[in-house]
Amino acid sequence: MTRANDLILRTTTSLIAFILLGFSVYLFFAGHNKPGGGFIGGLMAAAALVLMYMAYGLNAIRKVIRVNYLYMIFTGLIIAVGTGVGAFLFDAPFLTQNFGYFQLPILGRTELATALLFDLGVYLTVIGVTMTIILTVADDREES
Amino acid sequence: MEGSISFTKTLIDISATIAIIGVSLSVMILLYRAIKGPTNADRAVALDVIGVNIMALAGVIAILLVSTQFNDVILLIGILLFIGTIALAKFLEKGVIIERDMD
């Protein structure tokens, strides 16, 4: 059997994975005022990662992305709980959120909310859970 | 002025309804191919084109409801469709979707 040649898939992946990651970051930041948010942004990032795993194989991507997805779940959960516990520092109830207007260098006057940090926790947790499930299922075959 | 605006609105409503009916007929015919298709590749192509039709349907419904909130959804359907079709094609050709070592 001749070995399959994946040139078109690999070239397309190297272009499209960037678009997917950019779209995921856009959905993550757009979640405050438009459809989107941490959950669907995390799913999009996981889709980009799955596309890369499909095009290049498990071992090659493991060398490039040295992230343990189990630790990513813990990091996300700690960030999400930490934004809730952080409200105690200001004598506020658990999970109280606040926002303010800041003058940023490029963006100009921007509204920054602490809900974004909670969303970041959701984002990391969703990526970690999705990639853990998919890679655990993909990895179960013994080396032949 | 008022009359021409309402006339345009009626025109858009009628053409969007006609487009929805056309896309629905196309999905029906594709469903026949997805159920009846002799080989698995036929079913995969039929599912791919059903997804494209669903993108079109979401676009037409966004026009009908006069909303811009559907644009992200249309892009999302396209991306998920692409990844799903690639996974299906890899499974049909090689029997494994994520390989351990490719070369």
Side-chain angles (χ1 to χ4, degrees), chain A residues 86-120:
Chain A
F88 290 146
L89 294 177
F90 304 99
D91 275 339
F94 185 60
L95 281 176
T96 305
Q97 63 149 337
N98 202 354
F99 65 94
Y101 292 95
F102 297 93
Q103 199 72 36
L104 293 184
I106 300 169
L107 299 170
R109 192 164 176 273
T110 315
E111 178 190 0
L112 295 181
T114 54
L116 189 76
L117 293 173
F118 186 78
D119 240 8
L120 182 68

Side-chain angles (χ1 to χ4, degrees), chain A residues 30-79:
Chain A
H32 203 59
N33 302 317
K34 294 175 76 178
F39 185 76
I40 194 69
L43 278 183
M44 269 298 102
L49 290 172
V50 167
L51 183 63
M52 273 150 56
Y53 275 104
M54 283 196 297
Y56 291 100
L58 212 53
N59 287 339
I61 298 292
R62 259 192 198 140
K63 277 181 211 149
V64 178
I65 306 175
R66 297 178 167 277
V67 175
N68 191 338
Y69 293 107
L70 275 175
Y71 291 159
M72 202 183 241
I73 302 176
F74 299 139
T75 315
L77 287 177
I78 284 171
I79 289 175

Side-chain angles (χ1 to χ4, degrees), chain A residues 4 6 9-10 20 23 26 35 40 44 47 54-59 139 141 143, chain B residues 69 72 75-76 79-80 82-83 86-87 90 93-94 97-103:
Chain A
D6 288 343
L9 176 60
R10 289 184 176 190
L20 258 63
F23 185 55
Y26 163 73
I40 194 69
M44 269 298 102
M54 283 196 297
Y56 291 100
L58 212 53
N59 287 339
D139 212 12
R141 188 173 293 178
E143 197 80 54
Chain B
Q69 312 284 327
D72 291 346
L75 192 53
L76 209 67
I79 288 168
L80 294 182
F82 174 69
I83 290 171
I86 283 182
K90 278 201 79 171
E93 191 188 332
K94 299 182 181 174
I97 293 176
I98 297 179
E99 283 153 279
R100 190 182 297 273
D101 214 347
M102 290 190 72
D103 327 11

Side-chain angles (χ1 to χ4, degrees), chain B residues 36-85:
Chain B
K36 189 84 177 178
T39 65
N40 279 333
D42 284 327
R43 295 192 181 93
V45 173
L47 286 177
D48 191 28
V49 185
I50 284 177
V52 174
N53 277 312
I54 286 174
M55 282 172 74
L57 209 55
V60 175
I61 286 175
I63 292 174
L64 206 58
L65 295 181
V66 198
S67 156
T68 56
Q69 312 284 327
F70 280 93
N71 297 356
D72 291 346
V73 179
I74 297 168
L75 192 53
L76 209 67
I77 296 173
I79 288 168
L80 294 182
L81 191 66
F82 174 69
I83 290 171
T85 308

